[in-house]
Amino acid sequence: MTVMCDGRQTLTMGQAARELELRTGEFELATQLGEVRTIPAGPPGRRRVPAEEIDRLRAEPGFPDALRERVRTVGTTEAAELMGIGPGRFLRLTRAGCLGPVRFYPNRYGAVVWLYLTTEIASFADREPGLMRGSIPAAMRVMLAGGQDWRGRQWRGRRVAQLMGQAEDRWESAAVIAAVLPPEELASVVDDPRERSLLRELRPPFASVITATAAARESFDRVLTAEEFDEVMWYRVNLSRALATARRDAPARPREATSARRRPPGFANRPSRTGTYGSVTELSRGRKSPSWTTETSSLPSRS
């Protein structure tokens, strides 16, 4: 059943997935990538799909196979086969940041399995034929020998940009950035406990992953958290900027959120944040991946 939202007919996520003939994971990724547009609807965090978006996608040539192909993902072995290279070389390219994963899941033993878009794999192979054969560039060899692995930060950077693109106010934007910082780093940047509490409340879901074992849960949490010094500093700086803007635009909101939680039953409290995201800022554009060519002679500078 469709529901009117801001004068537009809309469908729930489940209804939209069925109309578009997508499995749950495919539909979730399609919304994250912007292949299926969604709009805020009702309580904070809830989103729906406009009926005209369903009509647009169903009218595309090749529906639904064309849409499914745009959100098709593969693991390391199949990705390497698609590129015509060995799994070992593909692994080195992804660790060096040449290709960023779009999804992941930890297996029961805690090993992280990364998934990549087939469209991005094909595009990279066409764009960088020099990296498909021959010697790995010297700078890349140095980076990999030092244990560098950009897969986690590539996924985090992509996901932060997606979530920032849907935040509805400045505090929600700040909450997206805060979500990837280690607790001690967050406390260092945000010394007001009321603000930290609000940022935790507004934290959006970063991934829908089932973690059946303690090892899987530990791996899941590790992927969601920035680790290396330069990445942590990047998010610290941008969180400080986002907070300065939020404090200027809505200085009373942390106090209001605290008092709302303290009110007795019968008062209308703001629902906990479970799923909306943030406005695109320089954060989503500034952190670039390494750029490798066969002529690379120095390690990339990283913001």
Side-chain angles (χ1 to χ4, degrees):
M1 182 178 69
T2 60
V3 173
M4 297 300 292
C5 181
D6 292 332
R8 307 164 73 181
Q9 287 189 329
T10 63
L11 290 77
T12 67
M13 297 298 206
Q15 291 171 329
R18 289 190 293 273
E19 289 291 326
L20 295 175
E21 302 181 35
L22 295 176
R23 293 189 291 271
T24 301
E26 291 173 330
F27 180 79
E28 181 182 58
L29 183 56
T31 60
Q32 292 174 3
L33 296 174
E35 293 289 347
V36 177
R37 292 191 294 269
T38 64
I39 60 173
R46 184 172 297 174
R47 302 184 73 82
R48 296 176 69 94
V49 179
E52 66 264 24
E53 177 72 351
I54 303 297
D55 295 337
R56 179 185 72 83
L57 290 166
R58 289 181 64 89
E60 285 184 344
F63 174 85
D65 293 339
L67 176 58
R68 285 182 183 146
E69 188 60 29
R70 294 201 296 272
V71 296
R72 181 186 168 209
T73 59
V74 292
T76 296
T77 300
E78 188 173 355
E81 291 175 356
L82 291 174
M83 297 176 74
I85 60 178
R89 191 180 191 93
F90 180 81
L91 178 60
R92 290 192 291 275
L93 293 175
T94 57
R95 285 183 56 207
C98 296
L99 285 158
V102 292
R103 304 198 81 177
F104 78 95
Y105 65 89
N107 64 23
R108 61 182 299 182
Y109 305 106
V112 176
V113 179
W114 297 104
L115 300 174
Y116 304 85
L117 275 178
T118 57
T119 52
E120 292 183 355
I121 290 169
S123 175
F124 179 80
D126 290 341
R127 189 174 65 251
E128 298 286 355
L131 291 176
M132 300 299 102
R133 299 287 184 275
S135 299
I136 292 288
M140 188 185 296
R141 292 199 300 272
V142 172
M143 174 183 174
L144 295 174
Q148 290 287 312
D149 188 343
W150 276 66
R151 290 174 296 179
R153 70 164 61 195
Q154 291 275 68
W155 181 85
R156 286 186 292 273
R158 186 196 296 261
R159 193 72 184 108
V160 165
Q162 291 165 349
L163 295 173
M164 291 286 286
Q166 294 182 0
E168 297 173 29
D169 65 32
R170 301 295 188 178
W171 284 104
E172 292 180 8
S173 295
V176 173
I177 307 170
V180 298
L181 280 173
E184 65 277 9
E185 297 290 345
L186 177 60
S188 174
V189 177
V190 190
D191 55 10
D192 187 333
R194 294 172 301 183
E195 290 184 347
R196 290 200 302 273
S197 179
L198 176 61
L199 294 176
R200 285 193 297 268
E201 179 186 346
L202 297 177
R203 174 177 176 147
F206 269 61
S208 300
V209 175
I210 297 175
T211 51
T213 65
R217 180 67 198 179
E218 183 180 347
S219 294
F220 176 81
D221 290 341
R222 189 165 57 249
V223 171
L224 266 58
T225 307
E227 294 183 307
E228 294 192 28
F229 175 79
D230 62 329
E231 184 189 11
V232 169
M233 290 304 298
W234 174 266
Y235 286 119
R236 281 180 58 105
V237 168
N238 281 280
L239 177 58
S240 296
R241 293 173 178 170
L243 284 173
T245 304
R247 290 163 180 156
R248 184 193 65 214
D249 291 354
R253 187 167 182 192
R255 294 191 298 273
E256 292 168 352
T258 300
S259 7
R261 286 192 294 273
R262 290 175 180 169
R263 290 173 184 166
F267 282 82
N269 288 350
R270 190 186 195 284
S272 295
R273 191 74 172 126
T274 56
T276 334
Y277 319 150
S279 60
V280 177
T281 67
E282 65 176 357
L283 179 67
S284 63
R285 300 189 298 266
R287 297 184 69 254
K288 296 183 179 179
S289 310
S291 176
W292 302 106
T293 67
T294 51
E295 291 77 32
T296 301
S297 57
S298 62
L299 287 171
S301 61
R302 287 177 281 176
S303 302

